[in-house]
Amino acid sequence: MSVIPRLFYTFSPLTRLIISLGCAVFVSGLLPSWLRLPTPILCIWNSSAYVFLGLTWWKMLKATAEENRSYAQREYKGRLVIYTFIVFASCMSMLVIASLLNYHKHGLLTISLPLRVMLASMTIFSPCLLVHT
């Protein structure tokens, strides 16, 4: 079995990360060009984080008792990928929220207040969900 089909068969953390990054690229292509800088970053980040979470939750729901035992018995190989992703998520959340607040202070945002609040709250909650998943 080649490497690529084996990655998608096992649905490893690396595979989920690749799929979520592909989703981020897709979303970045869909966003309009008139959006100011923090808004596209929030949209792209949130889409990739929630796709990663969805794929992880799907794998957790699909797992059997034998798979859970085998994960518990051996060291989990994907912990470095997930740890890196979570640290990046936390840093990204803080930087983008700070940028969003700065743009709001100067009145430069082009989206409505409810959308800003929704994007900011989704960005704040995504690292929390990633840590606890």
Side-chain angles (χ1 to χ4, degrees):
M1 185 181 280
S2 70
V3 173
I4 293 177
R6 186 175 50 216
L7 274 176
F8 287 103
Y9 178 72
T10 60
F11 218 54
S12 68
L14 180 61
T15 304
R16 293 182 297 232
L17 184 62
I18 290 170
I19 292 171
S20 66
L21 290 176
C23 177
V25 169
F26 178 73
V27 168
S28 69
L30 292 178
L31 291 174
S33 61
W34 52 264
L35 289 174
R36 298 277 182 166
L37 184 61
T39 306
I41 292 172
L42 284 173
C43 292
I44 292 167
W45 169 252
N46 287 332
S47 66
S48 69
Y50 285 107
V51 165
F52 186 85
L53 280 167
L55 293 172
T56 302
W57 291 339
W58 181 60
K59 181 169 175 137
M60 288 168 57
L61 289 173
K62 223 175 69 164
T64 63
E66 293 173 10
E67 289 173 346
N68 288 335
R69 270 194 295 276
S70 72
Y71 281 138
Q73 289 174 352
R74 64 182 164 83
E75 190 175 353
Y76 189 56
K77 292 180 184 177
R79 73 175 187 263
L80 181 62
V81 172
I82 293 172
Y83 179 73
T84 305
F85 193 69
I86 290 170
V87 169
F88 181 73
S90 300
C91 293
M92 179 66 76
S93 295
M94 290 186 298
L95 289 174
V96 172
I97 296 300
S99 174
L100 187 69
L101 290 173
N102 187 31
Y103 270 72
H104 177 70
K105 183 172 94 173
H106 297 295
L108 298 173
L109 290 174
T110 56
I111 61 172
S112 64
L113 182 64
L115 280 176
R116 280 183 266 173
V117 170
M118 183 180 72
L119 285 172
S121 61
M122 286 176 67
T123 306
I124 290 169
F125 288 124
S126 64
C128 299
L129 291 173
L130 285 167
V131 166
H132 297 293
T133 299

